Amino acid sequence: MTQDSASPVFSVVIPTRNRPDILVDAVASVLEQTFSDLELIVSDNSQSADSELTQVALDQFRSDPRFRYIRPDLNLPMVDHWEWALTHARGRYVGVVTDRMALRLYALEEVYTAIERTKAATVGYATANARELPGYRGLRRGHGGVATREIATADKLQQFARGDWPKDTPRMLNSFTHRDLLASLRERYGTVFTGISPDYAFAFRTLEALNSYVYIDFPLLVTQGEARSNGNALTIGAVTQETTDFRRRMLEEQGEWLKYGPMPGDTSVLLNGILREYALAAEQSRSSRFPQIEPADFYRGAMSQAAGWARKAMLPPGVVSALDEYRVTHGLNPIALPHPKPRVRRCVNLVAGGKMGPLSLRRTIASLRLSIERGLMKLGIGSHFAGRTLRDVIRQDLRLRQREGK
């Protein structure tokens, strides 16, 4: 499906930094879309050595006229990089796919159908996480049709104010937005993004600007590399070169924003980081559309998130002490965290799942899972697509969709 126009229907921007190995899956997922009226902009914010590897990895795509590679003169903080990259977009609808993500190969076709039917300024869609093992990627087979619904932005703002964390919120990396709305945000604020987390900064500015948006209740976006996510790593206290670099730059170059949120200065509580962008958007917009965040609601929501990590024995002590200090300061009743699953049980599950143990064992488990799941899919009774890369998996997904005539 194509559309003739002076500018493409879609601009897909992929901001990347030091991840050439999985970036190729993201790029391929865009250029292989069934809806072809698009441009793809890969913006490389990598360090010099990784940038060379990135450019080599991207050589296979350069013959496609829809592909563009850009690189800022200097390494930029994530928010500034997203802003700079977005200025190169020429499409009527613009979205971001990070280098850890891939679109299902019919994603833009579904988004375009929703746009044509609803004329919405912003269309969001659900996300699924790929299973990951060495040399293995798996994705649960989708069930049922692709349903869309209109969501009132006031309801979403109320949910965040209550300490909830609704996932059906347009964050640029799971949505496409009309360029006129992006232009209006720039005119109003000077930028599309701000703060420390560009996706949530965009979300709250958009929720304030619109009365409603359209959301597709089907995971058109698939993520991988969860262990390499800076946000997750900071939450569980993991120390890697990427997270160390991210934290250093955040404190040095974006420290001014840390004063916002229910827990000013805190960088350990995930919900506080999200609501930091909420508080910043409320102040910058001077809008009455942002409900007040009550301490009890925030504490309940943050402890609910912490409980999930506690069950996995992955919750850093710093999160617990920070939330306990917040509770005492605001005179709140304590909420107990669940005990972790028994250590032996956790280890057995991790080893059996191929997520712990010697690399040779993990590869063997991945190979077995790959063979079994592929066999089940051939028999028509499988629940997961399986391949050695995410690109393999989403191609299988498209072939099945085409065979079923969807």
Side-chain angles (χ1 to χ4, degrees), residues 204-328:
F204 293 127
R205 284 180 169 182
T206 300
L207 292 178
E208 192 279 331
L210 298 177
N211 291 322
S212 66
Y213 59 94
V214 168
Y215 189 80
I216 300 173
D217 276 314
F218 186 86
L220 296 177
L221 185 69
V222 183
T223 66
Q224 63 176 334
E226 199 70 14
R228 297 165 70 174
S229 163
N230 289 322
N232 284 344
L234 289 173
T235 300
I236 63 175
V239 179
T240 66
Q241 184 58 48
E242 287 184 352
T243 58
T244 300
D245 179 50
F246 179 79
R247 183 187 289 274
R248 176 186 60 78
R249 298 195 70 171
M250 176 179 65
L251 295 175
E252 291 178 357
E253 302 170 5
Q254 301 168 294
E256 62 182 302
W257 307 122
L258 294 179
K259 65 182 180 182
Y260 292 93
M263 301 172 65
D266 176 80
T267 61
S268 63
V269 177
L270 181 59
L271 185 59
N272 184 64
I274 294 169
L275 294 182
R276 177 190 302 124
E277 307 300 340
Y278 179 100
L280 179 56
E283 177 174 300
Q284 291 181 339
S285 67
R286 301 185 183 277
S287 171
S288 61
R289 298 200 65 203
F290 291 89
Q292 183 70 31
I293 300 171
E294 297 298 331
D297 290 332
F298 168 74
Y299 176 65
R300 174 194 54 77
M303 290 297 288
S304 177
Q305 285 184 353
W309 295 110
R311 292 187 187 95
K312 302 174 185 178
M314 299 175 69
L315 184 65
V319 173
V320 178
S321 59
L323 286 173
D324 198 49
E325 181 180 346
Y326 180 86
R327 174 190 65 79
V328 172

Side-chain angles (χ1 to χ4, degrees), residues 177-190 192:
T177 296
H178 196 281
R179 61 189 177 193
D180 288 349
L181 177 56
L182 299 179
S184 71
L185 293 178
R186 286 195 186 97
E187 182 178 357
R188 183 175 181 184
Y189 299 104
V192 172

Side-chain angles (χ1 to χ4, degrees), residues 134-150:
Y136 164 92
R137 293 293 185 272
L139 176 64
R140 181 174 291 278
R141 178 177 173 177
H143 297 283
V146 177
T148 60
R149 57 192 169 96
E150 184 177 6

Side-chain angles (χ1 to χ4, degrees), residues 11 22 47 50 63 67 69 100 105 118 136 138 150 163 177 194 207 223 260 277 316 324 367 403:
S11 288
I22 55 177
Q47 295 166 320
D50 284 288
S63 61
F67 172 89
Y69 172 89
R100 294 196 307 106
L105 298 183
T118 66
Y136 164 92
E150 184 177 6
T177 296
T194 190
L207 292 178
T223 66
Y260 292 93
E277 307 300 340
D324 198 49
S367 181
R403 286 201 302 270

